Amino acid sequence: MADLLLALDVKGKAEAVRVATACTGELDAIKIGYPLVLSTGLEIVKDLAKSEIPIIADFKVADIPNTNSLICEEVFGAGCAGIITHAFCGSDSLAACVDASHDHGGVCFVVCEMSHPGALDFLSGENAERMARMAKAAGADGIIAPATRPERTATLRTIIGSSMKIYSPGVGAQGAQPEDVKKYVDGIIVGRAIYEAADPKAAAHEFRVRAR
């Protein structure tokens, strides 16, 4: 049984609030990223929080430790419940995100392998497995692993064990189905297949049922 996270990659406050409100009762979290935040500012977090759904900032943080800490301070100060970071900048940069997240009572998820085809160039195989081990050693709350390659997500699960969560993108528009990975993960991430649907609530409900 997996949670349902909405990747709300829309532009503008009105559209974001419309979709989030429509999906009330169907989502376990909303993941926001640069398209939305660059068009609205971090103030959008307060608007979305009115739906009482946890907000995760998918900023894929990748910088030196001090900068990572400052980014986390802004994210959690705005009211987010979690943040997503990269691991490839090194263990010190990763630890800065994890520590800052926990200091603010939030959670930190680490990208180990992305869902698009180009991820196979660098963010896969031994590199992904090494980053999964880094995430576990840093005390991260979970990792990001692809629904588009369930066999890889299964491998990463064996590395991090059952005490950490896996959130899995690629369901819907990228071709993966909830049934492909739900036995390996704690949450599926769906974007366009929900927010571009004629009836976002109905679409979210269908994915929620299929993820269970």
Side-chain angles (χ1 to χ4, degrees):
M1 184 173 73
D3 288 344
L4 176 61
L5 289 78
L6 170 62
L8 193 55
D9 290 328
V10 300
K11 294 182 179 180
K13 173 182 173 180
E15 180 65 3
V17 171
R18 181 190 73 82
V19 174
T21 301
C23 294
T24 298
E26 303 296 343
L27 305 174
D28 296 290
I30 293 174
K31 182 176 74 69
I32 62 172
Y34 290 117
L36 179 56
V37 173
L38 289 176
S39 67
T40 64
L42 272 173
E43 293 80 9
I44 191 64
V45 176
K46 292 182 174 62
D47 295 310
L48 295 176
K50 294 175 183 177
S51 60
E52 298 185 348
I53 303 170
I55 310 299
I56 297 174
D58 183 11
F59 288 172
K60 295 183 177 68
V61 184
D63 216 306
I64 65 171
N66 183 65
T67 302
N68 285 0
S69 296
L70 294 174
I71 292 170
C72 288
E73 287 179 11
E74 293 299 317
V75 164
F76 291 107
C80 289
I83 194 166
I84 295 174
T85 181
H86 275 301
F88 60 71
C89 289
S91 57
D92 54 351
S93 292
L94 175 56
C97 280
V98 173
D99 293 346
S101 298
H102 293 169
D103 286 346
H104 288 83
V107 295
C108 182
F109 279 76
V110 181
V111 177
C112 290
E113 185 164 335
M114 296 175 73
S115 53
H116 63 299
L120 296 174
D121 293 342
F122 297 106
L123 292 176
S124 187
E126 292 182 4
N127 289 336
E129 291 160 22
R130 182 178 180 184
M131 288 187 286
R133 287 189 287 270
M134 288 173 61
K136 185 173 183 178
D141 299 278
I143 66 169
I144 305 298
T148 49
R149 291 184 290 280
E151 73 286 354
R152 292 291 307 144
T153 296
T155 296
L156 295 175
R157 170 59 79 189
T158 65
I159 292 172
I160 66 169
S162 59
S163 62
M164 295 172 64
K165 291 185 176 182
I166 297 179
Y167 287 161
S168 193
V171 173
Q174 293 187 57
Q177 303 301 320
E179 295 82 3
D180 296 338
V181 291
K182 66 181 183 180
K183 66 181 178 180
Y184 304 123
V185 306
D186 301 277
I188 60 167
I189 300 172
V190 186
R192 286 166 283 175
I194 293 177
Y195 66 73
E196 291 183 350
D199 186 342
K201 185 176 182 67
H205 180 74
E206 179 183 349
F207 279 111
R208 183 178 183 86
V209 170
R210 292 172 64 191
R212 292 304 193 244

